[in-house]
Amino acid sequence: MAQAALFEPEQTLGVGELVARVTRAVAAAFPAEVWVRGEVHGLKQPNASGHVYFELCERNNRRGPTSTLNVALFRLEHQRVLKALREYPDFRLADGLEVRVRGRIQFAYGRVSLVMSAIDPVHTLGRLAADRQRVLRALADDGLLDANRAVALPLLPLRIGLVTSHGSAAFEDAVQELTASGIGFQVRVADARVQGAGADLSMVRALTALRTQDCDVVLLVRGGGSRTDLVAFDSERLARAIATMPVPVLTGVGHEIDSCVVDEVAHASYKTPTACAAAVVERVRTTTARTEAAWARAAHVATDRLRRADQRLDAVAARVSPTVVRSAERALDEHARHVRRAALVALDRQHARTDLLAARTTAADPARLFARGWSITHTADGRLVRFPADAPPGTELVTTLESGLVRSEVLPDD
Amino acid sequence: MTDDEITYADAMAELEAIVAGLDDADVDVDLLAARVARAAELITVCRERIARTRLEVERIVAELDEP
């Protein structure tokens, strides 16, 4: 009866039985607890019952699908785990961490999950340390470890870029330190997430935003946390962003023991946000003090030089002026004597000339000749008689004496 | 122009011209006396000028010497 066979019901399982079978199969496949390695995601705070849930993920390849396993950490196990972790203060369970956990695999509520009972913090810390070393080597290979240290810190870093979680304790500490200094800092805050998945990318974006804001220095700060809280500060892309910033980046990431990768690439690193801000305050104070001291020295030196120059001038003047004046006086005396001498010589010459003319005048004066008995004889018609030929016989003569005239006539020659 | 106003140079020039004329053989005697008289005046003027100038020079040089 082929027809009947067609309708013969195949074996059909009820949901309850199927689930029970899968549950048994899973339990049989994983009879004991297993260690599982993966990255923490979706970590939630303990719920009202004290249970903690998260997922362990593993990306199968760069772009491929991600395998996910739900993890339940019940209250009692949670307390045991926390107790065990007290020996590892650097460790705290957080998103993004790669962890190695132990637990029982169970199929419950329609899915496979891991009921966690223990965690291996050494695995995570070792992995973080190894990652840190790898990142540092990569940065060193690219010559980025000292790149930001080579950027000079301005003498007066007054325009400050502040990368941190806005409103956090770290933010308040840094701003408080800057404000309390009384120095007129201008603070540009670039808000960023500083913990959890994507925190490093958030800080890279904040740094990028500050590139165009004319900062003198950038402070990257975060409050205290465990090693695993600070995993973002070991990020290679954050380290590269810091190394290539055009201004100095100072870090103040709260941690006690070893340093983060960002501390290695930063211009300088400080233990706390407060210490980081204090370093900037100190820089400004030192510069101000040095400037004032230099100014005071310059003023002192200038005053001193002026005083000494004044004294030297006085000394030179005292030595020079009598000499100069004396020599000028001597020259003037000489000129005066010369003028006098020349004038007197000229006058003497004129005097002699006048005397000579006077003598000649006197010599020509006819009155003197008449007084001594000389006379002058003219003919009656007025011609001067100097030679016998001037007065032939019969000529009438008029002779002028000192006083009066004598008339006469020339007698014939015998 | 009176003799007070005449310059020394003019006085000297006139005097020299008169003295040169005195050597002229044909000088008129009456004129000669007048010329001699004029020469004497000019000589007096020149001598006064020289004496006055000498005093002036001495006074000026003495003033220069004063502090």
Side-chain angles (χ1 to χ4, degrees):
Chain A
M1 304 253 292
Q3 189 72 25
L6 269 181
F7 291 95
E8 189 177 336
E10 292 176 29
Q11 186 188 11
T12 303
L13 300 175
V15 172
E17 187 183 351
L18 177 66
V19 169
R21 273 210 213 175
V22 172
T23 303
R24 277 199 303 278
V26 168
F30 300 97
E33 288 191 330
V34 294
W35 283 98
V36 185
R37 190 182 65 226
E39 197 175 299
V40 177
H41 280 277
L43 179 69
K44 296 177 183 64
Q45 291 295 309
N47 66 12
S49 311
H51 309 321
V52 174
Y53 300 95
F54 60 95
E55 292 168 349
L56 276 184
C57 300
E58 181 176 19
R59 184 170 294 172
N60 294 313
N61 59 48
R62 208 172 160 72
R63 289 173 171 272
T66 303
S67 299
T68 303
L69 175 68
N70 293 297
V71 179
L73 180 56
F74 295 123
R75 186 169 62 87
L76 288 177
E77 279 74 17
H78 187 215
Q79 285 168 357
R80 257 206 304 279
V81 165
L82 289 180
K83 196 173 171 189
L85 285 177
R86 275 184 208 153
E87 287 178 42
Y88 301 91
D90 279 355
F91 183 91
R92 189 186 300 164
L93 199 58
D95 275 353
L97 283 187
E98 183 181 303
V99 293
R100 182 170 170 262
V101 300
R102 194 178 66 189
R104 181 165 46 83
I105 302 297
Q106 69 167 21
F107 183 80
Y109 308 109
R111 62 188 184 183
V112 174
S113 60
L114 182 118
V115 179
M116 180 177 154
S117 63
I119 189 165
D120 173 18
V122 175
H123 171 85
T124 302
L125 293 174
R127 186 63 193 264
L128 288 179
D131 275 352
R132 231 172 18 248
Q133 290 310 313
R134 182 189 59 75
V135 169
L136 287 174
R137 261 199 313 277
L139 293 169
D141 288 347
D142 291 347
L144 292 176
L145 276 186
D146 294 313
N148 195 251
R149 259 186 292 281
V151 180
L153 180 63
L155 290 171
L156 281 175
L158 294 174
R159 297 169 301 181
I160 296 179
L162 181 58
V163 176
T164 190
S165 174
H166 198 289
S168 65
F171 169 84
E172 300 294 350
D173 286 352
V175 169
Q176 158 68 19
E177 184 71 21
L178 295 175
T179 309
S181 70
I183 298 166
F185 289 111
Q186 298 167 30
V187 181
R188 291 107 155 107
V189 179
D191 186 31
R193 278 187 292 122
V194 294
Q195 187 171 355
D200 61 339
L201 186 57
S202 174
M203 288 188 276
V204 169
R205 285 185 181 136
L207 287 172
T208 307
L210 287 178
R211 276 173 169 266
T212 57
Q213 295 203 26
D214 287 335
C215 296
D216 297 320
V217 65
V218 169
L219 310 187
L220 175 62
V221 299
R222 186 212 190 278
S226 70
R227 175 80 256 169
T228 50
D229 284 341
L230 304 176
V231 67
F233 292 86
D234 287 331
S235 151
E236 183 170 349
R237 56 183 168 187
L238 178 57
R240 285 181 183 277
I242 290 170
T244 55
M245 278 294 279
V247 295
V249 178
L250 309 187
T251 58
V253 181
H255 46 67
E256 277 83 40
I257 311 157
D258 52 353
S259 64
C260 307
V261 168
V262 296
D263 292 336
E264 302 296 325
V265 295
H267 186 89
S269 64
Y270 300 91
K271 289 289 182 196
T272 61
T274 300
C276 188
V280 177
V281 171
E282 182 60 26
R283 175 78 170 178
V284 173
R285 288 222 171 104
T286 302
T287 302
T288 310
R290 272 172 53 196
T291 307
E292 277 169 11
W295 181 243
R297 263 201 317 278
H300 175 76
V301 167
T303 312
D304 195 51
R305 291 231 175 122
L306 280 176
R307 204 185 63 242
R308 273 190 286 172
D310 217 22
Q311 286 169 350
R312 214 158 45 228
L313 195 59
D314 281 353
V316 169
R319 218 167 51 238
V320 160
S321 70
T323 312
V324 170
V325 170
R326 261 201 307 279
S327 116
E329 279 173 351
R330 269 201 299 274
L332 279 174
D333 284 352
E334 187 52 43
H335 287 323
R337 271 196 298 278
H338 185 256
V339 165
R340 177 174 174 276
R341 214 163 38 233
L344 295 183
V345 166
L347 288 170
D348 283 348
R349 209 159 39 229
Q350 292 301 324
H351 201 265
R353 190 175 166 200
T354 310
D355 281 353
L356 182 66
L357 292 172
R360 284 174 66 187
T361 304
T362 305
D365 187 353
R368 289 184 66 233
L369 299 176
F370 292 140
R372 290 167 65 187
W374 298 93
S375 59
I376 291 175
T377 300
H378 296 87
T379 57
D381 55 3
R383 284 178 292 111
L384 186 66
V385 179
R386 283 191 284 193
F387 307 101
D390 293 335
T395 306
E396 188 182 342
L397 301 173
V398 179
T399 300
T400 308
L401 304 174
E402 185 181 12
S403 59
L405 300 173
V406 175
R407 291 185 182 276
S408 59
E409 192 180 317
V410 179
L411 297 176
D413 286 337
D414 289 333
Chain B
M1 185 185 287
T2 68
D3 287 344
D4 284 344
E5 293 165 347
I6 193 171
T7 68
Y8 181 85
D10 287 345
M12 184 52 76
E14 187 182 345
L15 180 59
E16 281 175 336
I18 290 170
V19 170
L22 291 179
D23 290 339
D24 189 349
D26 294 327
V27 68
D28 181 88
V29 172
D30 297 329
L31 214 56
L32 182 66
R35 284 186 179 171
V36 167
R38 177 60 186 164
E41 277 175 18
L42 291 172
I43 287 167
T44 304
V45 165
C46 285
R47 280 183 171 153
E48 275 176 12
R49 288 289 167 83
I50 289 171
R52 214 156 63 202
T53 305
R54 193 186 299 273
L55 280 176
E56 191 80 347
V57 167
E58 294 290 4
R59 186 182 62 77
I60 291 169
V61 171
E63 276 180 4
L64 279 181
D65 285 342
E66 283 173 15

